[in-house]
Amino acid sequence: MGEVEVLDLASIIGLIAAFALMIFGMANGDYGVAALPWFVDVASILITFGGTFGTVLASNSIKGFTNGLKTIKLIFKVPNLDSVGTIRQIIELSNIARKEGLLALEESSNNLEDPFMKKGILLIVDGTDPDLVRGILETELVNIDARHQKNIGFWKQIAALGPAWGMIGTLIGLILMLKNLSDPDSIGPAMATALVTTFYGSVLANWLSTPVATKLTTLNEEEIQLKELMIEGLLSIQAGENPRVIEEKLKSFLTPGLRDGLAEGGE
């Protein structure tokens, strides 16, 4: 979802802290770290994780499945989504257009790093009708959002299936336990093993999948908003609006704090 520059410490620290606190909770009882092996069961791992990812694979193509898994790396990096910098860039382009004409923007487009912005500028330079420019850019925006929603849906599907397969594993364990009630001493350990699969499903959903889906949703919303800002700015340039008017219009996309930062930068 855009170029990345630095690691997102919030995602890294959050996941590590949540996992560490979970381990602390496991080892905080009377048995201490000796209790940790109780939460490890190979059969439960295979049922929960194998069942979850197997059914997700069955509902996707192999390429879609692998691409969906790869999107997890996006939550660990901060995307280059600079709304204030984009507005300043649009104001600069509007000044060029007012002084030298729209055709002068073609040379300026060579310095644009964002392909969406560059595409809009080239459409304007080519004399494309404003309604058509908006239509083309909004169509691309819809398709960008659709691709992102597919990745978000991938992780939401894992979050939904993880607890379900955990419950399936628990039911399997309970059935096996009830078939062997002749040994009362084995009931407690067998029950604990059966419940481990539910634990794995909950961890998969709440520690990993849901945070990933939520973070991807946030990144998508931020990118879509930035591109909507670009569309409004580009159409304002094409309409020949005053750069000051364009700036005031685009400020509506910013939070109060960012608006102050834009004003300070302008000074």
Side-chain angles (χ1 to χ4, degrees):
M1 298 181 183
E3 294 184 3
V4 294
E5 295 181 347
V6 295
L7 292 178
D8 188 337
L9 294 179
S11 294
I12 297 173
I13 295 174
L15 289 178
I16 292 176
F19 189 81
L21 289 172
M22 182 177 64
I23 297 298
F24 173 78
M26 295 176 186
N28 195 39
D30 295 335
Y31 295 93
V33 294
L36 294 180
W38 299 350
F39 293 88
V40 179
D41 184 77
V42 175
S44 297
I45 292 174
L46 292 177
I47 292 172
T48 305
F49 289 86
T52 299
F53 288 102
T55 49
V56 172
L57 174 60
S59 60
N60 288 275
S61 64
I62 293 178
K63 182 178 180 181
F65 179 79
T66 54
N67 287 341
L69 288 177
K70 290 178 182 178
T71 57
I72 190 174
K73 65 184 180 182
L74 297 176
I75 74 166
F76 298 112
K77 298 178 180 180
V78 178
N80 184 21
L81 301 175
D82 183 6
S83 298
V84 172
T86 299
I87 292 177
R88 289 175 181 158
Q89 195 171 45
I90 290 173
I91 300 305
E92 181 180 347
L93 291 171
S94 69
N95 283 318
I96 294 175
R98 282 177 65 86
K99 294 177 182 177
E100 305 177 29
L102 292 176
L103 293 178
L105 295 177
E106 184 171 9
E107 182 178 352
S108 300
S109 67
N110 296 326
N111 299 322
L112 297 177
E113 296 181 359
D114 190 287
F116 188 84
M117 174 91 81
K118 186 173 183 178
K119 181 176 184 178
I121 289 294
L122 293 178
L123 287 172
I124 292 174
V125 170
D126 290 339
T128 309
D129 182 79
D131 290 337
L132 185 55
V133 172
R134 179 183 289 277
I136 292 173
L137 294 180
E138 288 185 346
T139 298
E140 181 166 347
L141 196 58
V142 168
N143 285 292
I144 290 173
D145 181 61
R147 290 194 296 271
H148 292 174
Q149 290 299 335
K150 184 176 181 180
N151 294 327
I152 293 168
F154 175 87
W155 289 101
K156 285 183 176 180
Q157 187 179 22
I158 294 177
L161 290 173
W165 276 97
M167 182 57 66
I168 290 173
T170 295
L171 293 174
I172 292 173
L174 290 176
I175 292 171
L176 294 175
M177 181 191 72
L178 293 174
K179 284 290 185 179
N180 187 30
L181 290 177
S182 58
D183 183 8
D185 293 336
S186 67
I187 295 177
M191 177 67 79
T193 300
L195 292 176
V196 166
T197 52
T198 298
F199 168 73
Y200 287 153
S202 296
V203 171
L204 179 59
N206 298 291
W207 174 70
L208 182 64
S209 305
T210 297
V212 172
T214 302
K215 193 60 171 282
L216 291 178
T217 299
T218 301
L219 294 176
N220 177 56
E221 292 173 350
E222 291 176 352
E223 183 174 348
I224 294 300
Q225 184 183 51
L226 179 61
K227 284 180 167 47
E228 289 175 344
L229 182 155
M230 292 179 185
I231 292 174
E232 293 302 323
L234 293 173
L235 291 175
S236 295
I237 292 175
Q238 188 177 28
E241 296 179 7
N242 187 289
R244 183 62 182 172
V245 174
I246 296 176
E247 179 180 345
E248 291 301 320
K249 179 190 294 186
L250 298 184
K251 277 184 178 180
S252 62
F253 288 88
L254 303 179
T255 62
L258 290 178
R259 293 181 191 182
D260 294 338
L262 178 63
E264 293 172 3
E267 293 174 2

